Amino acid sequence: MEVTERPDRVDTVTDSDRAEQPVVAGEAARYPAHVQLEDRVLLENEVVGAAAHPRMIRLVIAALHDDPARPWTAADMAELAGCSVRRLQEGFQAHVGSTPTQYLVDIRLQRAHAQLDTEPLAAVTDVALRWGFSSASRFAAAYERRYGVVPSSGRRSPGR
């Protein structure tokens, strides 16, 4: 998602603008409206609703939403923000209430949850890998902490 700054506010790309971006539009079309809304609300709460966030925080948040499956490192995020890793972590803690890495995990969990809801035959391991989790067991543990159920609950086997 692109973020544009105006003197009086911060705006994100509109849904009609997204339609012109085939990768984003194609990915967004895979999920029902309520899932797209949850992701948009998360982003807007952090970017639009928090115009007081420093530019470095807004840039990283937008990039994480754009490509959560990327194998992000703290150094990658800090480089994007144009600051040190420590400064980025301090800024996230102060303005977002979490670390950049935890914020990324939250996005990934949300996207994985949406995919598991919309694709009942998808393998949990494939979904975990798709959204950037390198370990299926760590994904399952994080998913259970967040949603209170294991990601395989309610899954159907092919042919059932």
Side-chain angles (χ1 to χ4, degrees):
M1 171 174 284
E2 292 180 28
V3 177
T4 56
E5 293 184 358
R6 295 188 181 154
D8 59 333
R9 65 183 189 181
V10 176
D11 287 330
T12 57
V13 176
T14 65
D15 288 333
S16 61
D17 293 334
R18 285 178 189 240
E20 296 173 12
Q21 301 172 0
V23 173
V24 174
E27 186 64 34
R30 295 176 44 146
Y31 303 106
H34 77 278
V35 172
Q36 293 176 36
L37 179 61
E38 287 173 9
D39 191 53
R40 185 168 178 88
V41 167
L42 177 63
L43 179 60
E44 287 177 352
N45 284 344
E46 297 304 335
V47 177
V48 177
H53 286 353
R55 183 174 185 271
M56 68 177 192
I57 303 294
R58 292 191 315 263
L59 286 171
V60 173
I61 287 172
L64 296 177
H65 278 272
D66 276 346
D67 192 6
R70 175 180 165 183
W72 289 97
T73 65
D76 292 337
M77 291 182 241
E79 182 178 343
L80 176 68
C83 65
S84 69
V85 170
R86 183 71 186 133
R87 179 66 195 115
L88 182 64
Q89 289 172 335
E90 289 170 347
F92 256 77
Q93 202 62 44
H95 295 281
V96 179
S98 73
T99 66
T101 302
Q102 184 56 52
Y103 188 85
L104 174 60
V105 169
D106 290 343
I107 296 168
R108 288 175 171 173
L109 284 170
Q110 183 179 6
R111 302 276 178 97
H113 180 69
Q115 184 175 356
L116 289 169
D117 277 352
T118 58
E119 298 176 25
L121 298 178
V124 172
T125 300
D126 292 342
V127 172
L129 293 173
R130 160 74 176 89
W131 291 111
F133 292 95
S134 59
S135 165
S137 62
R138 287 185 183 165
F139 164 69
Y143 188 97
E144 186 173 12
R145 277 192 306 276
R146 169 96 181 251
Y147 296 105
V149 296
V150 295
S152 60
S153 67
R155 311 305 302 148
R156 294 188 301 218
S157 301
R160 275 193 180 176

